[in-house]
Amino acid sequence: MAATPAPTDLLRSPLHDRHVALGAKLAPFGGWAMPVEYAAGTAAEHAAVRERVGLFDVSHLGKASVRGPGAAAYVDAVLTNSVGRIAPGEAQYTLCCAEDGGVVDDLILYLRGDDDVFLVPNAANTAAVVARLRAGAPAGVEVRDEHRDHVVLAVQGPASDAVLEAAGLPAGHPYMSFRDATSRGGSVVVCRTGYTGERGYEVVAPVALAEPLWDALVAAGEPHGLLPAGLGARDTLRTEMGYPLHGQDIAPTITPVQARLGWAVGWDKPAFAGREALLAERAAGPQRVLRGLRAVRRGIPRPGMRVLDAEGGELGLVTSGTFSPTLRTGIALALLDRAVAEGDEVVVDVRGRSEAFTVVRPPFVEASAR
């Protein structure tokens, strides 16, 4: 496959030249030119992650630091999850909400200590998250946008531990914890997180280490059948797990209550952005709920497709939809009327065809991340 050029006004990963050399198909994502797939194709990359190991460049993800006296307590008062649930050296999934409860972004929080927090938001929302944190930062707390300072590599799959160990990186630590290490002459952070549902790690390092780290991981993964994987496989993998994508399954118009992300909200905390609106919605019950759909026959759902009842009445919309390479069938996440229950059969309007789907609870496949 010949490399596909990307528009010149997009940001480029520190590994852009590696992707071009591998013949990657590049496309815009969150303001960056990122690989969608390589020569093997999305299905093969997806299978590699589920069965062996895949390597993703996710350097488009945002990076920000909050440092200074009381930094962790300040972040805790802004983001939804309770920082008190974790200890230094651990990571946490959390949300940044607006006052009306809508999701500005979802992100991973790395807790280094009471005065040091590192955040990994989504690419397109980094500036918004940083601006919100800066706006209310107390004296002595500095919020820095470090988006362009780090490379982020995700090693995902059953053989991920073996690959990291062969590359001289720490592995085997508990889920949602991180370890500091020195590699290729620089400091790296290895966190046991990922967006695929498989056991895996995300490696954060200075941009100067991007190519040496990538090359070391590719070499270490060769005996294990490692494939570089693009955003196409990342999307099919996360959809199989029911993981939300900001801008589709969560958004400024979609709340954590609607998206069934209440587990990432510290309901007993005295303060966080959107608290009053979310408490009220939880008490009243959401009018719509994010649920899973699995095709009864051969329909492949896509975002924006209408979900209907047997009489053609509107029930909601598909927010994420794809063909599951693991299950060999169509799957989707959809925001549906709260009256719709698991086990119900609904209809999706797939380009003018009425396709039957069963309402299910994600994940669609079993996770092995822990």
Side-chain angles (χ1 to χ4, degrees):
M1 178 200 305
T4 303
T8 56
D9 59 342
L10 296 173
L11 297 174
R12 290 185 171 186
S13 161
L15 291 162
H16 181 83
D17 290 345
R18 289 292 189 274
H19 302 320
V20 171
L22 288 168
K25 177 182 178 182
L26 300 168
F29 189 84
W32 292 64
M34 297 301 294
V36 175
E37 64 177 5
Y38 299 86
T42 294
E45 293 162 20
H46 179 111
V49 173
R50 288 275 182 255
E51 299 165 8
R52 304 184 308 278
V53 63
L55 174 62
F56 298 83
D57 173 16
V58 288
S59 300
H60 64 293
L61 291 174
K63 307 97 184 170
S65 64
V66 185
R67 298 190 182 100
Y74 168 59
V75 171
D76 188 51
V78 176
L79 305 183
T80 62
N81 214 334
S82 176
V83 177
R85 293 172 176 171
I86 62 173
E90 295 180 337
Q92 182 181 71
Y93 178 81
T94 188
L95 302 156
C96 178
C97 287
E99 290 306 323
D100 65 359
V103 180
V104 176
D105 200 16
D106 62 337
L107 57 159
I108 300 293
L109 178 154
Y110 290 55
L111 180 63
R112 291 198 163 277
D114 293 343
D115 59 354
D116 192 351
V117 176
F118 185 71
L119 302 172
V120 181
N122 286 292
N125 301 324
T126 302
V129 171
V130 168
R132 284 176 172 271
L133 288 168
R134 280 180 177 162
V141 172
E142 181 185 17
V143 181
R144 292 189 57 198
D145 187 338
E146 301 180 3
H147 201 164
R148 302 298 302 275
D149 299 343
H150 308 276
V151 62
V152 185
L153 303 179
V155 183
Q156 300 283 297
S160 56
D161 286 63
V163 172
L164 262 69
E165 289 167 356
L169 294 169
H173 40 287
Y175 184 59
M176 296 300 285
S177 71
F178 60 90
R179 298 288 182 268
D180 294 312
T182 299
S183 178
R184 280 78 200 169
S187 298
V188 303
V189 181
V190 181
C191 191
R192 201 149 89 71
T193 48
Y195 196 47
T196 67
E198 294 299 331
R199 185 179 179 91
Y201 300 82
E202 292 176 308
V203 181
V204 183
V207 292
L209 299 187
E211 291 185 349
L213 266 179
W214 175 272
D215 295 343
L217 290 166
V218 168
E222 186 174 358
H224 302 281
L226 178 146
L227 284 182
L231 296 182
R234 184 172 162 88
D235 192 60
T236 55
L237 289 158
R238 70 94 190 167
T239 304
E240 287 186 344
M241 300 312 304
Y243 293 161
L245 176 65
H246 192 274
Q248 293 183 195
D249 314 298
I250 49 177
T253 56
I254 303 171
T255 71
V257 177
Q258 296 163 22
R260 300 173 76 170
L261 292 174
W263 58 269
V265 178
W267 296 106
D268 295 331
K269 293 198 306 181
F272 60 86
R275 180 177 183 271
E276 299 308 317
L278 293 175
L279 283 170
E281 185 179 33
R282 185 177 70 153
Q287 294 300 307
R288 54 185 188 168
V289 177
L290 191 69
R291 298 195 181 276
L293 301 179
R294 179 167 175 163
V296 173
R297 290 179 287 276
R298 305 178 73 175
I300 309 299
R302 300 296 181 191
M305 290 181 174
R306 296 185 303 148
V307 183
L308 314 168
D309 61 23
E311 288 72 42
E314 296 276 350
L315 294 176
L317 290 174
V318 171
T319 54
S320 289
T322 190
F323 176 78
S324 164
T326 302
L327 301 175
R328 309 299 297 172
T329 193
I331 60 172
L333 298 175
L335 268 176
L336 303 177
D337 186 278
R338 66 178 179 178
V340 179
E342 291 171 26
D344 287 354
E345 188 167 297
V346 298
V347 172
V348 176
D349 182 354
V350 180
R351 299 184 178 88
R353 303 189 317 275
S354 295
E355 295 285 353
F357 283 77
T358 302
V359 180
V360 300
R361 186 181 182 89
F364 298 93
V365 301
E366 289 299 315
S368 60
R370 295 178 186 272

